[in-house]
């Protein structure tokens, strides 16, 4: 049996920091692109579902639908190429050095995105309420102008003598 040359041996050890950053990049790219079942897919699905309402004109509906799907495809291609170029085809580059403190915010962000994919109802409800408030500013104006002013302490009123 011939000796195995180190340069051609199958499998190369990947440093933990590179593996963590690479997998985090794949997770973030998948969310941005809108691949199911991640949070980006839920957002894209909600937008596509809103286009099915009769209030959206036919040509605008088709154009927006096509643009949403095309943007996902083009984003997938661009981010895949960037990830391959940076993480898998960069020979001779030193492995990054990461501390746990540097990884914690990214892990927390990915955990929050996973939670958003599992329980999207509160975020969708908040977004729906915000959109309703933007589309109907009269409710906000009525709430602000119709509110009774709070009573101020006597010394807070301009020109009043301080209490002794």
């Amino acid at each position: 049996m011939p000796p195995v040359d180190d340069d051609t041996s199958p499998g190369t050890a990947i440093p933990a920091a590179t593996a963590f950053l690479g997998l985090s990049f794949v997770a973030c790219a998948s969310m941005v692109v809108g691949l199911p079942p991640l949070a980006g897919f839920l957002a894209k699905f909600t937008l596509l579902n809103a286009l099915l309402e009769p209030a959206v004109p036919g040509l605008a509906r088709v154009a927006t639908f096509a643009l949403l799907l095309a943007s996902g495809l083009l984003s997938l291609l661009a981010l895949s190429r960037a990830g391959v170029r940076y993480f898998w085809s960069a020979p001779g580059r030193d492995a990054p050095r990461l501390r746990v403190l540097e990884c914690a915010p990214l892990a927390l962000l990915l955990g929050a995105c996973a939670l958003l994919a599992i329980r999207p109802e509160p975020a969708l409800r908040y977004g729906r309420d915000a959109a309703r408030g933007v589309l109907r500013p009269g409710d906000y104006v009525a709430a602000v102008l119709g509110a009774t002013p709070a009573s101020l302490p006597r010394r807070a009123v301009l020109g009043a003598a301080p209490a002794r």
Side-chain angles (χ1 to χ4, degrees), residues 138-148:
D139 294 343
Y140 173 75
V141 172
V144 170
L145 295 179
T148 58

Side-chain angles (χ1 to χ4, degrees), residues 108-132:
L108 188 65
L109 175 68
L110 291 174
C113 290
L115 181 65
L116 188 60
I118 294 169
R119 298 227 349 120
E121 297 90 14
L124 288 174
R125 186 173 39 253
Y126 178 78
R128 217 175 289 118
D129 291 345
R132 196 173 298 125

Side-chain angles (χ1 to χ4, degrees), residues 20 24 31 100 102-116:
F20 176 76
S24 297
M31 281 185 274
V100 174
E102 295 170 334
C103 296
L106 183 58
L108 188 65
L109 175 68
L110 291 174
C113 290
L115 181 65
L116 188 60

Side-chain angles (χ1 to χ4, degrees), residues 45-72:
F45 182 76
T46 303
L47 287 171
L48 293 173
N49 191 27
L51 288 174
L52 298 178
E53 293 184 9
V56 180
L59 183 60
R61 179 183 310 168
V62 171
T64 307
F65 205 91
L67 284 174
L68 276 171
L69 295 180
S71 70

Side-chain angles (χ1 to χ4, degrees), residues 15-109:
T18 303
F20 176 76
L21 291 174
L23 290 174
S24 297
F25 178 82
V26 168
C28 290
S30 299
M31 281 185 274
V32 167
V33 168
L35 294 179
L38 301 172
F41 172 74
L42 296 173
K44 187 175 285 191
F45 182 76
T46 303
L47 287 171
L48 293 173
N49 191 27
L51 288 174
L52 298 178
E53 293 184 9
V56 180
L59 183 60
R61 179 183 310 168
V62 171
T64 307
F65 205 91
L67 284 174
L68 276 171
L69 295 180
S71 70
L73 177 65
L74 293 175
S75 297
L76 178 64
L77 291 173
L79 290 171
S80 296
R81 288 185 61 146
V84 166
R85 183 176 295 134
Y86 187 78
F87 291 106
W88 286 278
S89 67
R93 185 183 316 154
D94 292 337
R97 300 176 62 84
L98 290 177
R99 293 179 290 175
V100 174
L101 186 60
E102 295 170 334
C103 296
L106 183 58
L108 188 65
L109 175 68

